[in-house]
Every structure is written in structure tokens, then in C-alpha cells.
Amino acid sequence: MLFTSDIADRTWPPGSPRQASGGLALPSPARCCYLRPIMAEQATIIDGKALAQTVRGEVKTRAESFLAKHGRQPGLHVVLVGDDPASHVYVRNKEKAAAQCGIAGEVHRLPADTSMEVLLAKVAELNAAPGIDGILVQLPLPKHLDDQTVVDAVDPAKDVDGLHPVNAGLLVVGRPGLRPCTPSGCMRMLSSIGTDLKGKRAIVVGRSTLVGKPIALMLLAENATVTMAHSRTVDLAARVAECDIVVAAVGVPELIKGSWIKPGAVVIDVGINRLDDGRLVGDVEYATALPRASAITPVPGGVGPMTIAMLLSNTVDAAERRV
Ligand code: NAD
């Protein structure tokens, strides 16, 4: 599981002003390097870049001890089909990050007109290779290829994206498995500030297979009482206002208004939306949420940097489970 045990004692003392005002138990900003206090009464900003650095450091240490023990580095192979410029950037970033953490890797670049047969044969080849622990097929695939068929073809033990139905099922039944990277990153952010989820009201806005559904299940596994909201939810403002934890994974710029946020709530904003003027914003109206929340992730620099870090962590997890 992704929670660290080293934060258990990092809570506000009983009767502190934040607890008295109904806020969640949070660590003292002075004691937690991931917190950037702005003002005494304002939200703490959860620094995703700093936390991702820490996770990468942990991965590097684990990868080194894996090498020392098993005589090889953990291996992550990425399959990239076509010429989508954004996908090429994402894959280059993953390649660089893996190398920095002591993970051996290779990117298999296939032309845009690659057939399903050729792609499935490549996945089968990687499934069979003993030194490969993680396989990631960069999505979305070109239109003539079916994403789900390819995800289904990856060996679940090497599915470091955590998207295979076997891993999704393991999450549902609460058994160990490879978890999707962005949701894992969100949970790690919550644990990094010592958020006690037990009995808390949490809402996840967005029900995608990639983000919303797995986060909701992970929050449930930590004993939160979880509401899943989506495009048909009636009175979203009222549902958000009831909750101590708000996770936004919608893809609509600033959909969730600051005035909806319950005072003292923790806000995790997964959304990354580019506005016409070039600015990047989340799904939460950050400026107005900041004075109401007790902690909040910024966009950019929040959840985004955590995703690759958790991919690397999953790769070492997969390697350790396979030997
Ligand atoms: P998606 O389009 O697959 O799902 C969006 C969900 O939002 C759907 O379930 C839909 O029901 C819900 N929704 C849409 N409009 C709504 C509304 N008005 N009210 C309530 N719910 C509504 O998107 P996704 O893949 O889950 O991504 C969501 C956002 O997270 C996007 O901005 C995406 O770019 C971002 N994202 C970020 C990372 C990261 O690493 N930070 C990773 C994945 C996705």
C-alpha cells in the first residue's frame, strides 16, 4: 500500500484552532517539507513537485537494492504508436525519469499505421521477456486501434499503469495489485499531510476508469465515506459542500467553485485544463478555494508531477513481486 507510516504523529494537537473550526487534522507546516504555508489561516499548498522528488528518491534506493540483490535493474518498457507530439513528450519524460531512478528501459516506437496484430505481437514479446517488469502502452492509440484490447493483452503482473481489468478487480476486492498511477499519487499526497480519512466524508467528482473510480475505491479502502459525482449528479454544489475531502477529476476548467468548499476541507485537483490565453488551470476555482480549504493542490505543480513518480514506484513494486 502506498501510505507511509512516518506521518502518523503529524496531527494538530487536540483543541487547536483548525480542529476547533471543523478542519481536518493536519500536520504542523513547520514539520512537513511538502507543505508550503502561505498565511496562518490560509490553506496549505501541497507541493507535488517536492513530494514527487521524494518518491523518486525512494524508488532509486529500492531500484539499487533490487540490482544488488538480483543482479539486474528493474525494467520498464514503453510502447508508443504514432506521431502524437504530446505522447512523444510524455514518453520522453518517463524515459528520462526512469533512467534517473536506476530503472532500465526501452521505448518501442511503432509507426502510426501499425496493425493490431503487430501491436499485440509486440506486447506478447514484452510479456514473455523475463527482464521486463513493467509494460506501458502509451494511450490514446491511433483511432484504428482499440485501447482496451491492447490494455487487456498486457500481463497483469507487468501492468504498471494499473489499468488491466485484473488489477482493477483486485482494487475492488481490496487485494494487493498494481494501482493506477494518478490515483495513487493523490493518495500519497493525502498521506503526506497526515490526512486521517477514517470516517471522513469524501467526494470524487468524475467517474473515469483512469482516475475517478480508482480514487473513490482507494478512499473507501481507507474508510472514508465516499460520494461519487459525475455529469448527471444533481446539485453538485451541495454535495461538495458536505465533504471534508474533495477530489476533482473532471476536465472542466474551474467547475468547482471556492464557495462550495466546506471550510477546512482538503482539496485534491487532478484536472489539467489549458485556457485560450495559454494558462493552465485545474477543475477547482483555486483563488476562491484557497482561503476556505485547509490544504489544496496547485495546478500546475500538484497532482501532475506525482503521476510519473508513481509509475516508477509501480515498476519497482512489479519487479519485487515477480522475483
Ligand atoms: P474523463 O473525460 O475520462 O472523465 C471525466 C469525468 O468527469 C466523467 O466521468 C464525467 O462524468 C465527469 N464530468 C464531466 N462533466 C461534469 C460535470 N459538469 N459535473 C460533474 N462531473 C462531470 O477525464 P479523466 O481522464 O478522468 O481526466 C479528468 C481530468 O484530469 C482532465 O483534466 C485530465 O487532463 C486530468 N488528468 C490529470 C492527470 C495528472 O497526471 N494530473 C492524469 C489523468 C487525467
Side-chain angles (χ1 to χ4, degrees):
M1 193 60 215
L2 295 160
F3 282 99
T4 51
S5 54
D6 60 340
I7 40 79
D9 66 333
R10 295 179 178 176
T11 53
W12 290 100
S16 70
R18 262 181 213 238
Q19 280 200 328
S21 68
L24 290 178
L26 278 174
S28 159
R31 295 173 63 201
C32 184
C33 59
Y34 311 122
L35 307 178
R36 277 194 273 135
I38 302 300
M39 284 168 45
E41 292 307 318
Q42 238 182 8
T44 300
I45 297 174
I46 308 170
D47 186 342
K49 276 193 208 157
L51 183 55
Q53 262 325 104
T54 299
V55 173
R56 287 181 190 212
E58 293 165 5
V59 169
K60 190 161 186 273
T61 304
R62 290 171 63 204
E64 283 165 0
S65 78
F66 185 89
L67 171 64
K69 220 158 147 188
H70 304 289
R72 68 169 181 88
Q73 293 178 309
L76 170 64
H77 282 228
V78 178
V79 180
L80 174 57
V81 186
D83 314 309
D84 178 55
S87 292
H88 276 261
V89 172
Y90 296 146
V91 167
R92 260 200 307 279
N93 289 342
K94 288 169 187 171
E95 202 178 4
K96 218 168 89 188
Q100 285 168 352
C101 290
I103 291 174
E106 195 178 325
V107 179
H108 304 264
R109 292 184 171 82
L110 305 178
D113 62 357
T114 298
S115 68
M116 195 57 141
E117 289 69 30
V118 168
L119 180 54
L120 291 178
K122 172 57 74 181
V123 170
E125 176 195 322
L126 303 179
N127 281 343
I132 297 176
D133 303 293
I135 301 169
L136 184 150
V137 180
Q138 184 66 39
L139 302 177
L141 292 166
K143 287 210 163 30
H144 68 286
L145 299 168
D146 179 48
D147 289 4
Q148 196 56 57
T149 304
V150 179
V151 167
D152 290 356
V154 173
D155 177 350
K158 298 187 177 188
D159 167 42
V160 283
D161 246 350
L163 298 180
H164 193 284
V166 166
N167 283 316
L170 290 170
L171 173 59
V172 171
V173 297
R175 282 168 48 191
L178 291 164
R179 308 295 197 225
C181 303
T182 301
S184 296
C186 295
M187 296 304 286
R188 179 69 191 251
M189 293 182 109
L190 288 169
S191 71
S192 77
I193 59 165
T195 310
D196 178 12
L197 294 167
K198 190 169 50 168
K200 295 290 181 335
R201 291 289 307 269
I203 185 165
V204 180
V205 189
R207 57 175 163 183
S208 70
T209 306
L210 186 65
V211 189
K213 281 182 194 162
I215 293 182
L217 288 163
M218 290 177 186
L219 290 165
L220 190 62
E222 294 300 324
N223 300 310
T225 301
V226 183
T227 298
M228 287 217 65
H230 46 79
S231 53
R232 314 289 167 85
T233 295
V234 176
D235 202 353
L236 182 62
R239 299 291 77 76
V240 170
E242 292 163 354
C243 288
D244 307 301
I245 320 284
V246 179
V247 180
V250 186
V252 176
E254 301 184 330
L255 171 79
I256 295 166
K257 308 301 170 204
S259 58
W260 302 358
I261 302 295
K262 178 178 173 181
V266 174
V267 178
I268 305 289
D269 191 351
V270 182
I272 303 176
N273 309 291
R274 173 116 17 223
L275 301 182
D276 290 342
D277 63 10
R279 279 186 305 130
L280 274 186
V281 298
D283 292 342
V284 178
E285 198 180 59
Y286 185 78
T288 51
L290 192 63
R292 292 175 73 86
S294 62
I296 187 167
T297 61
V299 178
V303 175
M306 292 298 292
T307 299
I308 291 185
M310 300 318 293
L311 169 73
L312 303 175
S313 178
N314 271 357
T315 303
V316 181
D317 285 348
E320 287 170 348
R321 285 197 195 125
R322 292 184 61 254
V323 289

